[in-house]
Amino acid sequence: FGLAPTLPLALLSRFALGLSNGLIGSIKTIITEMSHGDKSKETRTMAIVMGMWGYGFLINPALSGYLADPMRQYPNSKLVHFLDSSLNLTDNP
């Protein structure tokens, strides 16, 4: 569940991510309109967007695995302790 301490918060965050997933349709429309009929510019820009989408699918699992359980991996980090105290991620006082 990552940083979500409760199931409802995890479900709410997944819902918000699902809502933002519709952005790709808008991005494709914006690219088409901004290329002003230049097919080579449209093709190149669309390839960049789709490539970054693919890189996100590759990099996100590795990044989230690297950042999993930050209290144990980075016990001396001030940022981790700040987030832990503000979001109440652990049961420790």
Side-chain angles (χ1 to χ4, degrees):
F1 286 89
L3 295 176
T6 62
L7 180 62
L9 186 59
L11 292 175
L12 180 68
S13 64
R14 288 298 298 164
F15 178 74
L17 288 172
L19 283 177
S20 67
N21 213 8
L23 288 176
I24 194 67
S26 302
I27 291 170
K28 287 180 179 181
T29 303
I30 291 169
I31 289 171
T32 302
E33 289 181 1
M34 290 186 72
S35 64
H36 300 294
D38 186 0
K39 288 294 181 184
S40 64
K41 182 191 269 186
E42 183 180 347
T43 303
R44 186 178 69 232
T45 310
M46 197 69 73
I48 290 171
V49 168
M50 291 300 129
M52 292 302 112
W53 194 272
Y55 282 134
F57 276 117
L58 289 174
I59 293 172
N60 274 342
L63 184 64
S64 55
Y66 179 72
L67 296 175
D69 200 9
M71 289 300 292
R72 188 173 63 201
Q73 287 188 9
Y74 313 106
N76 298 325
S77 172
K78 291 180 183 178
L79 176 66
V80 169
H81 285 287
F82 170 74
L83 290 174
D84 180 47
S85 63
S86 61
L87 297 174
N88 296 325
L89 298 176
T90 60
D91 296 332
N92 299 335

